[in-house]
Amino acid sequence: MTRRFRIWEECGVRKVVAYVLLLFGIPSLILAEDIGWPREMTQNGAHIVYYQPQIDRWADYRTLDARMAISVTPAGGKPTPGVVSIQARTDADKETRNVVISNIKLTDIRFPSVDAAGDAKLGELVRTFFKPDNTITISLDRLTAEVEEGKVSGPAVQVDNKPPKIFVSRGPTVLLLVDNKEVRAAIEKTKLEFVVNANWTVLFDTAGKKYYLMNGKQWLTADKLEGPWTVAAQLPKEMNKLPADQNWEEVKKAIPPQGPAGAAPTVFFSNVPAEVIEFKGPPVYAKIPGTQLTYATNTKSAVFVQTDEQKFYYLVSGRWFRAASLDGPWSYAGGDLPSDFAKIPPNGPGSDVLAAVPGTQEAMDAVLLAQIPTTAIVNIKEAEAQVKVQYDGEPQFKPIETTQLSYATNTQDKVIKFGDIYYLCFQAVWFMSTTANGPWKVASSVPKEIYTIPPSSPVYNVTYVTQTQTSPTTVECDHTAGYLGMFLVGTAVGLTIAYGTGYYYPPYYYHPPYGYPIYRPYPVTYGVGAFYSPYSGTYGVARGAYGPYGGVTGAAWYNPSTGRYGRSVSAYGPYGSATAARTYNPYTGVYGATRQGSNAYGNWGSSVAVRGDQWAQTAHRTTSQGTAAGFRTSEGARGAGYSGANGNSGFVAQGKNDNMYAGKNGDVYRKDSSGSWQKYENGGWSDTSPRPTPHTQNASMTQRTQAQQRPTQGAANRPAPAQQPAISSGTIQQLDRDAQARQTGTQRTQQFQRSERARNSGGTTRRRPR
């Protein structure tokens, strides 16, 4: 069997290795890049070109009903345009922004310019190209752009929008957060203690009764956590006795002090969730054209002034707050945001905030993306072998209000008790056991009571994980953005996305008979400077003022099973801790070097879909029928290469524009060079115009309704071309929407690819954090 492939030469050794593996019939992952539209396939001398799908319905963002314009050329024949309607399953990989369309069913095939016999013959030919085990890979941005405005909805969450404590500074700032009540632990063989639950490294000298805060290579000192803090020129001699292990490695590098001996940064202290607005000098504002808004240009925070109201607006964690001055008091403003915010130009200054402005296209896009599920097919045996829950002492459970459930309070894992059964949600996979300590078995399903957990519970995010058993050896696991801490917030104008529920979950403390006290924080909404990135569709956390490690709450622990202790001011999980170079999602316990923990399947890999010997991810799929893969050549050609077991092949259409559209009435349309719509009929393209009279529009509407309701019999029930009316105004409006969506999807896809190339090459195209 001969397989024909081209490889992306720009991706170097990894792609060459993948190519070699494919030659030997070994499936390998090829990195994603959108391969463009339209696409072609050839088999047995016949040829088909199929254009980008147009969405009719996307139920639960899993079942897709769509139309595609096609052009079919039988062996030795001429091209004939037509329309194919499909119903299929979608699996999204939001990290690579790709969607695999599988389980494709052809629900209708229409060729409006041929007779019934020709229609049936061409329809059978089309079915030979689109078989049930074939797949189509499409950019997620292209697909989401197809969802019509006004059709994006979802269940709003009853979040708490009470404002946090908000500090304002005109210079370098440290926001020192101590979660609830201060907890200190002794450092072995020294007279020093460290503050276990601080977001910065804070040591306490028991002899001198002073605190020391490490700020890079600089040290600050104070008599109490509330300050005032000054620069420490010298450190206690006890600092030289810090243990020589990885827990204190970074601290020892800052001894003796090597930072500037000048003025200390402003240190704000809080034992409740708080945020800080840090200006570089006095606030400087610039006007946003076409609005009464100005925005602050010398801060990384999103600060606006509504000039005619003289009100300040501040966006943090996806929530808007308002005040008469920067000094407050602040109140929630997301429910009645001034209309000028929706007028901010999409690519102009301040446009980063549009995803948090209800009613804007950017907000609807964010809401849509948050509801698209991420899927993994998990091997049951392998998953069960990796899971073990560790408690601090004997398992302890606390009731979940308004439910008959309870959750484990003395473990970092999400263990929920219902009746006599224990359920564990670990990295977006559900397990169950008859005892709190296991052994844990993968759950084939989850009780509906789990999904009644309210947002006020610290384990609420597990309600965004669903699971079904797909075979004796695998389960299919889905999660949406709520599992990662992103929730839908409702307003009178529309939905937006916010980070965190807004509720404060007090931390858990446990002091074993020996070793460090154990401190387990729950996710916080404020205190991490959370900002939404439209590029990744996830929330990130700010750096700098929020802490040297990205602002994630610190932790300390002791593992009785290994006898080891540890400390971390960046992140903690029972299976390890994140370092300064990594990011961490406290909702999931997953950390990594990229993506702000957006991949929940840290232990299982990141496959979008795996079914037995079939798997799919990004632009590559292997089944028993052959292998499909994306390619780019050094000559600049692009394609979606296809090599089947029967020697058939496919690729992206070269030199063709993605300019053919499927009408809902079964006709085929395209735009000419002047931007006018043309309709394919009588074997050629003809100019069309809308019929202005109500009678014509009603007739056209009736015809479209009949066309959508008739069975899959092609032209048999369709009037002859001469009887068909000219294109209606309603059809033109629909085609204009489809064309605009296709253009928007292309732009977003290219923008994401540019940002990914820059990120992978060490550069960046991302805008400043919000």
Side-chain angles (χ1 to χ4, degrees):
M1 179 176 65
T2 300
R3 294 188 175 186
R4 294 177 291 167
F5 294 97
R6 296 182 181 179
I7 59 175
W8 291 339
E9 297 189 13
E10 67 177 358
C11 295
V13 174
R14 181 171 180 179
K15 291 299 169 54
V16 174
V17 171
Y19 174 57
V20 172
L21 290 174
L22 286 169
L23 290 179
F24 286 93
I26 302 173
S28 177
L29 173 64
I30 290 186
L31 294 178
E33 178 155 329
D34 183 78
I35 54 181
W37 292 88
R39 308 203 181 157
E40 296 184 11
M41 288 188 287
T42 299
Q43 63 179 18
N44 302 325
H47 188 74
I48 186 171
V49 180
Y50 54 105
Y51 292 76
Q52 182 178 321
Q54 298 158 246
I55 293 179
D56 289 323
R57 186 168 179 263
W58 198 5
D60 297 325
Y61 308 107
R62 170 52 58 79
T63 302
L64 180 70
D65 291 283
R67 293 161 281 128
M68 291 191 299
I70 58 175
S71 179
V72 180
T73 305
K78 296 181 179 180
T80 303
V83 172
V84 59
S85 297
I86 67 171
Q87 184 175 85
R89 172 193 169 104
T90 60
D91 289 290
D93 184 340
K94 288 190 280 189
E95 289 197 32
T96 62
R97 300 288 266 239
N98 272 271
V99 177
V100 177
I101 303 175
S102 60
N103 297 344
I104 299 173
K105 299 177 182 178
L106 305 187
T107 59
D108 197 4
I109 305 171
R110 312 176 190 182
F111 292 92
S113 65
V114 301
D115 58 21
D119 188 279
K121 187 175 181 179
L122 289 172
E124 288 304 312
L125 179 57
V126 170
R127 293 185 185 279
T128 66
F129 282 102
F130 295 102
K131 296 181 179 179
D133 60 349
N134 285 1
T135 63
I136 298 173
T137 303
I138 185 171
S139 159
L140 177 60
D141 290 296
R142 294 184 190 273
L143 210 54
T144 55
E146 280 280 341
V147 179
E148 289 187 16
E149 182 177 352
K151 291 187 177 181
V152 178
S153 62
V157 178
Q158 295 298 317
V159 297
D160 187 348
N161 289 320
K162 179 181 178 182
K165 184 181 291 187
I166 298 173
F167 299 101
V168 178
S169 172
R170 270 81 175 172
T173 307
V174 167
L175 177 57
L176 175 58
L177 298 173
V178 173
D179 197 2
N180 207 341
K181 183 180 179 180
E182 175 194 3
V183 177
R184 297 203 304 255
I187 301 175
E188 58 181 333
K189 299 179 182 179
T190 74
K191 295 180 181 179
L192 301 173
E193 298 175 340
F194 73 94
V195 181
V196 172
N197 55 335
N199 64 328
W200 290 73
T201 295
V202 179
L203 305 182
F204 181 73
D205 178 21
T206 58
K209 305 297 182 183
K210 283 185 175 292
Y211 290 92
Y212 292 86
L213 184 154
M214 188 179 78
N215 178 31
K217 301 298 183 180
Q218 182 188 60
W219 286 87
L220 308 178
T221 185
D223 295 329
K224 54 185 180 179
L225 292 173
E226 293 83 351
W229 292 84
T230 59
V231 175
Q234 294 183 340
L235 298 175
K237 294 182 179 180
E238 291 293 302
M239 292 278 200
N240 297 317
K241 300 179 182 179
L242 288 173
D245 59 44
Q246 63 179 3
N247 294 310
W248 303 101
E249 182 178 351
E250 293 300 317
V251 179
K252 291 171 74 70
K253 291 179 181 179
I255 301 173
Q258 303 168 41
T266 301
V267 178
F268 294 111
F269 168 80
S270 179
N271 62 355
V272 295
E275 294 284 351
V276 62
I277 302 173
E278 181 184 291
F279 292 97
K280 295 181 179 180
V284 178
Y285 297 94
K287 182 175 177 57
I288 297 179
T291 73
Q292 295 297 316
L293 297 174
T294 62
Y295 75 102
T297 62
N298 59 337
T299 176
K300 291 182 178 180
S301 300
V303 179
F304 293 76
V305 178
Q306 227 285 352
T307 54
D308 56 353
E309 290 183 355
Q310 279 302 301
K311 297 286 186 181
F312 291 82
Y313 289 84
Y314 171 45
L315 175 67
V316 64
S317 295
R319 295 166 171 83
W320 288 98
F321 299 101
R322 175 172 44 215
S325 75
L326 288 173
D327 297 326
W330 296 88
S331 61
Y332 179 66
D336 58 346
L337 204 61
S339 60
D340 270 357
F341 280 94
K343 301 176 184 177
I344 297 175
N347 296 313
S351 61
D352 293 6
V353 306
L354 285 172
V357 178
T360 64
Q361 185 62 54
E362 290 79 4
M364 287 187 285
D365 290 343
V367 169
L368 172 61
L369 192 61
Q371 295 181 85
I372 296 175
T374 296
T375 303
I377 306 299
V378 176
N379 182 284
I380 293 174
K381 185 176 181 180
E382 292 179 2
E384 292 173 351
Q386 297 184 53
V387 174
K388 181 181 179 182
V389 176
Q390 181 181 304
Y391 297 90
D392 305 321
E394 292 299 316
Q396 299 177 15
F397 286 81
K398 180 180 179 180
I400 299 176
E401 60 180 352
T402 72
T403 75
Q404 298 179 358
L405 309 169
S406 58
Y407 73 98
T409 60
N410 60 334
T411 177
Q412 196 77 7
D413 292 311
K414 307 291 177 64
V415 181
I416 299 169
K417 184 181 180 183
F418 177 55
D420 296 327
I421 303 297
Y422 298 84
Y423 292 89
L424 163 67
C425 187
F426 177 68
Q427 292 181 359
V429 179
W430 281 105
F431 300 83
M432 61 186 298
S433 177
T434 55
T435 68
N437 290 295
W440 297 97
K441 299 295 182 182
V442 170
S444 59
S445 61
V446 184
K448 61 181 180 180
E449 285 77 8
I450 293 283
Y451 300 99
T452 65
I453 296 174
S456 57
S457 170
V459 296
Y460 170 68
N461 71 309
V462 304
T463 64
Y464 290 84
V465 179
T466 58
Q467 188 161 301
T468 56
Q469 187 157 354
T470 55
S471 78
T473 59
T474 61
V475 292
E476 180 177 288
C477 308
D478 290 346
H479 75 271
T480 52
Y483 180 66
L484 306 172
M486 294 181 286
F487 304 103
L488 303 188
V489 178
T491 71
V493 180
L495 294 166
T496 60
I497 296 295
Y499 178 77
T501 64
Y503 290 95
Y504 174 63
Y505 311 121
Y508 165 77
Y509 297 97
Y510 173 71
H511 204 307
Y514 46 85
Y516 288 159
I518 295 172
Y519 157 70
R520 300 193 186 279
Y522 288 107
V524 294
T525 300
Y526 306 108
V528 294
F531 65 94
Y532 182 78
S533 169
Y535 299 97
S536 63
T538 61
Y539 269 90
V541 293
R543 291 184 178 271
Y546 292 91
Y549 301 100
V552 180
T553 304
W557 67 92
Y558 182 83
N559 187 338
S561 63
T562 63
R564 298 194 58 171
Y565 70 88
R567 60 171 291 279
S568 169
V569 290
S570 54
Y572 165 73
Y575 300 93
S577 61
T579 66
R582 294 177 176 175
T583 53
Y584 175 78
N585 189 314
Y587 277 88
T588 64
V590 174
Y591 61 91
T594 59
R595 302 289 185 185
Q596 294 96 41
S598 63
N599 176 17
Y601 300 111
N603 250 31
W604 330 116
S606 59
S607 293
V608 177
V610 183
R611 293 178 179 82
D613 64 348
Q614 298 183 359
W615 63 274
Q617 186 169 358
T618 65
H620 180 270
R621 181 175 177 87
T622 294
T623 72
S624 58
Q625 302 300 313
T627 298
F631 68 76
R632 166 182 273 188
T633 70
S634 57
E635 292 80 21
R638 299 186 180 191
Y642 176 80
S643 175
N646 58 1
N648 299 325
S649 64
F651 51 92
V652 167
Q654 301 299 325
K656 290 184 172 68
N657 294 322
D658 191 21
N659 191 33
M660 194 178 293
Y661 294 83
K664 288 188 175 182
N665 57 3
D667 290 322
V668 186
Y669 301 91
R670 74 177 185 184
K671 273 192 173 183
D672 61 20
S673 58
S674 67
S676 299
W677 286 103
Q678 293 181 320
K679 177 181 176 182
Y680 190 83
E681 56 186 348
N682 299 324
W685 295 98
S686 61
D687 292 328
T688 58
S689 59
R691 296 289 184 88
T693 65
H695 173 76
T696 299
Q697 293 183 18
N698 291 338
S700 178
M701 181 67 71
T702 302
Q703 185 189 29
R704 290 201 307 274
T705 302
Q706 292 173 345
Q708 292 172 343
Q709 293 176 348
R710 64 172 170 261
T712 310
Q713 296 182 9
N717 296 322
R718 191 181 301 113
Q723 297 174 307
Q724 294 179 357
I727 184 172
S728 70
S729 59
T731 298
I732 284 185
Q733 291 173 1
Q734 180 64 54
L735 291 171
D736 285 340
R737 283 195 295 266
D738 288 342
Q740 180 60 52
R742 189 172 291 184
Q743 181 181 1
T744 299
T746 299
Q747 293 172 346
R748 293 177 185 173
T749 298
Q750 294 172 347
Q751 183 181 37
F752 174 74
Q753 290 177 347
R754 286 194 297 268
S755 69
E756 285 299 279
R757 292 191 198 106
R759 185 180 66 84
N760 292 330
S761 63
T764 180
T765 61
R766 298 175 188 268
R767 300 176 184 177
R768 61 178 179 160
R770 286 297 190 187

